[in-house]
Amino acid sequence: MFSFESFLDLPLVWYALIGTAIFLYILLDGFDLGVGILFPFAPSDQCRDRMMNSIAPFWDGNETWLVLGGGGLFAAFPLAYAILMPAFYIPIIFMLLGLIFRGVAFEFRFKATGKSRRIWDYSFHFGSLTATFMQGAVLGTFVHGISVEGRNFSGSAFDWLNAFSLMVGVALVTGYALLGATWTIMKTEGATQDWARQSARYVLLFVAMFMGLVSLAMPMMNSDIKALWFSLPNFYFLQPMPILSAVFFIMLWRDLRTEREYRPFLLTLGIFLMNYIGIGVSTWPWLVPFKLTLWDVAAAPESQSLLLLGTVFLLPCVLAYTGYCFWVFRGKASHEHDAAY
């Protein structure tokens, strides 16, 4: 009888799948959340219309990856889900409320006029800001670690309110804002593009500052992370990540002073990728940091095999649909209210 577990390390496969889904969510929903963060600061209503239309075909589909990541964690690593969720209930509830409120504002804004449109503009902004900050707080709490006794969460509902998680929340706001600005550079032109280029230069400084602070804080908080990054020969093996991050920053800083339109967005994706890999390396192989590994919390092999069988067919369909959307809606965004392009 055929079974995946006979030749695959299923917990490792699911760890990679969930990690990929979360990364794709960060990149794809990151740029439209970033557009929302920058939204009220755009110089005119026409600029805001262009920004909104640039993400109109993508924003709801981008959230598919969040569902895949969360659903995959629940199905493939139920014990990790049961331990982590009580620690994250409050920020996740606020994140979901922000996403819902943002989606409602997105739809109502197209029908509103005058002062009511301004209300929905700010609703879109604060929904995006709340969702982003809470995602960063969850990430910061995950890296910081939670209180666990045996196989249960033993902390309080407000343990996520610590200095590091709040800093990571603000850091992610600046990071998504950079993604949103470089996306706007790529998808708009004229006054909107010029404003986005200036905004990206300004935000880039804050992204660099927060990246430095987070990178310094993580080894100071955890001796295992410090030993991983600064012991030999690990130090030499892991150097490409910070070096590539620095190269991407320098190239992006230069590109924002030229007329380049596509490479700033790709370089921003590269910066996010290097940081994401860095966090993954720092927390490997823990799924409940730094208490339980991914093998400790995995579901039964039979369950993971069945789930993987469905994912093998579903995931290519989602990827194909996502790629098709980006291909069909390529090009510059219009400011017309009734059409994205």
Side-chain angles (χ1 to χ4, degrees):
M1 181 178 177
F2 172 81
S3 62
F4 284 111
E5 66 265 24
S6 61
F7 63 95
L8 288 176
D9 185 341
L10 288 173
L12 184 60
V13 171
W14 272 105
Y15 181 86
L17 285 172
I18 293 171
T20 301
I22 294 173
F23 180 65
L24 287 172
Y25 171 76
I26 290 171
L27 294 188
L28 297 177
D29 209 36
F31 71 73
D32 62 61
L33 285 168
V35 167
I37 291 168
L38 296 172
F39 199 68
F41 308 108
S44 68
D45 276 339
Q46 189 175 85
C47 290
R48 281 184 281 274
D49 290 340
R50 287 184 182 274
M51 293 170 68
M52 185 73 82
N53 286 337
S54 75
I55 63 173
F58 312 112
W59 71 274
D60 49 354
N62 291 341
E63 293 174 3
T64 302
W65 299 104
L66 181 62
V67 176
L68 180 59
L73 181 66
F74 173 76
F77 302 102
L79 179 57
Y81 185 91
I83 296 172
L84 293 173
M85 281 302 294
F88 300 147
Y89 273 144
I90 292 177
I92 285 179
I93 287 172
F94 276 107
M95 179 194 76
L96 294 176
L97 289 174
L99 292 174
I100 293 169
F101 202 61
R102 187 179 77 112
V104 172
F106 192 101
E107 300 298 334
F108 275 82
R109 182 187 182 275
F110 282 111
K111 302 297 182 182
T113 57
K115 291 184 178 179
S116 61
R117 168 170 279 213
R118 184 62 63 189
I119 292 173
W120 292 117
D121 283 351
Y122 281 105
S123 299
F124 181 64
H125 166 69
F126 284 111
S128 301
L129 188 64
T130 300
T132 302
F133 179 80
M134 292 303 166
Q135 288 177 21
V138 169
L139 175 62
T141 305
F142 180 83
V143 173
H144 184 271
I146 62 173
S147 300
V148 177
E149 286 187 7
R151 298 162 71 90
N152 298 289
F153 172 64
S154 61
S156 76
F158 294 96
D159 282 358
W160 63 277
L161 281 173
N162 59 75
F164 181 74
S165 67
L166 296 180
M167 180 179 69
V168 176
V170 177
L172 193 62
V173 169
T174 63
Y176 279 5
L178 181 61
L179 267 176
T182 53
W183 169 266
T184 304
I185 292 169
M186 184 173 66
K187 300 297 287 185
T188 64
E189 54 192 356
T192 310
Q193 187 185 71
D194 294 339
W195 168 81
R197 203 179 297 276
Q198 293 175 358
S199 299
R201 290 199 295 265
Y202 178 75
V203 172
L204 182 61
L205 299 174
F206 287 95
V207 174
M209 179 186 72
F210 280 114
M211 275 185 57
L213 289 174
V214 171
S215 299
L216 288 173
M218 286 176 61
M220 292 176 63
M221 289 189 313
N222 190 292
S223 58
D224 291 336
I225 295 177
K226 182 178 180 180
L228 173 69
W229 282 88
F230 295 102
S231 62
L232 297 178
N234 291 355
F235 179 80
Y236 301 113
F237 294 145
L238 298 175
Q239 279 308 294
M241 280 179 279
I243 291 173
L244 282 174
S245 294
V247 170
F248 291 155
F249 266 109
I250 293 170
M251 292 176 65
L252 179 56
W253 179 258
R254 292 179 176 178
D255 281 0
L256 292 175
R257 281 159 173 73
T258 67
E259 298 300 316
R260 291 184 183 273
E261 296 183 343
Y262 291 92
R263 200 166 77 171
F265 182 68
L266 298 176
L267 289 170
T268 306
L269 297 185
I271 291 171
F272 267 80
L273 177 61
M274 291 300 104
N275 283 269
Y276 189 76
I277 293 174
I279 291 173
V281 169
S282 298
T283 57
W284 172 262
W286 309 104
L287 208 54
V288 179
F290 296 84
K291 305 291 185 180
L292 297 169
T293 70
L294 60 102
W295 294 280
D296 296 329
V297 296
E302 295 79 9
S303 298
Q304 291 194 335
S305 295
L306 181 62
L307 291 166
L308 187 59
L309 186 62
T311 304
V312 165
F313 293 100
L314 180 62
L315 190 58
C317 295
V318 177
L319 288 169
Y321 171 77
T322 302
Y324 180 72
C325 283
F326 277 91
W327 172 256
V328 169
F329 294 101
R330 66 192 183 278
K332 300 294 184 179
S334 167
H335 67 275
E336 298 295 333
H337 295 171
D338 297 328
Y341 289 85

